[in-house]
Every structure is written in structure tokens, then in C-alpha cells.
């Protein structure tokens, strides 16, 4: 019999929650990007997903590292976010389950 410690359970629960938040951000990015004048900002994504601005920032960076999101600097203050084909594929795979 394998015993799972409370720490392992907590870690797995947090990973599953992060995975759900990641999917929510990718779906929000997809939806906003499809709007005619869809301006994608971290604040807008945070409002759409119900996450804090800091959590949204962290998850967007993580998604960019995984290749799901492309982040480009527009100017010294603004960034542009775009969903990559890998990000779209990730949405489809998770939605299908």
C-alpha cells in the first residue's frame, strides 16, 4: 500500500488548481482575442477569470514559458498577448476531457 502524505495531497491539489487557472486564462485570452476590438490586457484577463492581477501575471508568464502564450512589448509600458497554436491545442485537449 502506498501512503500519500498531507503535503503531497496539498501539492497535487495546488497543481490541479493552477492547471484550472491556466486553462481559464487561455480560454479568456482566446475569447477576448476573437472580439472585433478585443484589447487583451492583464487586467481584463483577471476580471474575466476572477483571479487577482498578480496571479494572472504569474500564470501568463508560466504559459509563455510553456509556449502557450506569446508576449510582445508594445512600448515601454504595454505588452501584447497572443495565444499560440500550442495554447489553442492545450484548450482543446483540456476541454475535450
Amino acid at each position: 500500500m502506498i501512503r500519500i502524505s498531507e503535503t503531497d495531497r496539498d501539492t497535487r491539489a495546488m497543481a490541479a488548481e493552477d492547471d484550472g487557472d491556466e486553462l481559464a486564462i487561455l480560454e479568456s485570452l482566446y475569447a477576448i482575442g476573437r472580439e472585433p476590438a478585443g484589447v487583451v490586457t492583464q487586467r481584463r484577463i483577471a476580471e474575466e477569470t476572477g483571479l487577482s492581477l498578480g496571479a494572472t501575471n504569474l500564470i501568463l508568464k508560466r504559459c509563455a514559458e510553456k509556449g502557450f502564450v506569446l508576449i510582445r512589448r508594445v512600448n515601454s509600458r504595454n505588452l501584447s498577448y497572443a495565444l499560440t497554436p500550442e495554447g489553442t491545442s492545450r484548450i482543446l485537449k483540456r476541454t475535450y476531457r
Side-chain angles (χ1 to χ4, degrees), residues 17-89:
E17 186 176 310
D18 285 349
D19 199 37
D21 292 343
E22 184 177 281
L23 182 61
I25 285 181
L26 292 175
E27 289 174 339
S28 178
L29 190 58
Y30 179 78
I32 294 169
R34 292 186 52 91
E35 294 175 2
V39 178
V40 181
T41 64
Q42 280 188 15
R43 189 168 307 279
R44 174 111 186 256
I45 294 170
E47 289 170 357
E48 295 265 337
T49 59
L51 297 169
S52 70
L53 197 54
T56 301
N57 183 354
L58 180 70
I59 295 169
L60 277 170
K61 286 181 182 179
R62 192 177 314 140
C63 287
E65 289 172 1
K66 292 179 180 179
F68 300 148
V69 175
L70 183 63
I71 302 175
R72 291 191 197 129
R73 183 165 296 283
V74 176
N75 56 39
S76 63
R77 291 189 54 159
N78 297 328
L79 299 173
S80 171
Y81 301 95
L83 197 59
T84 65
E86 291 84 7
T88 305
S89 175

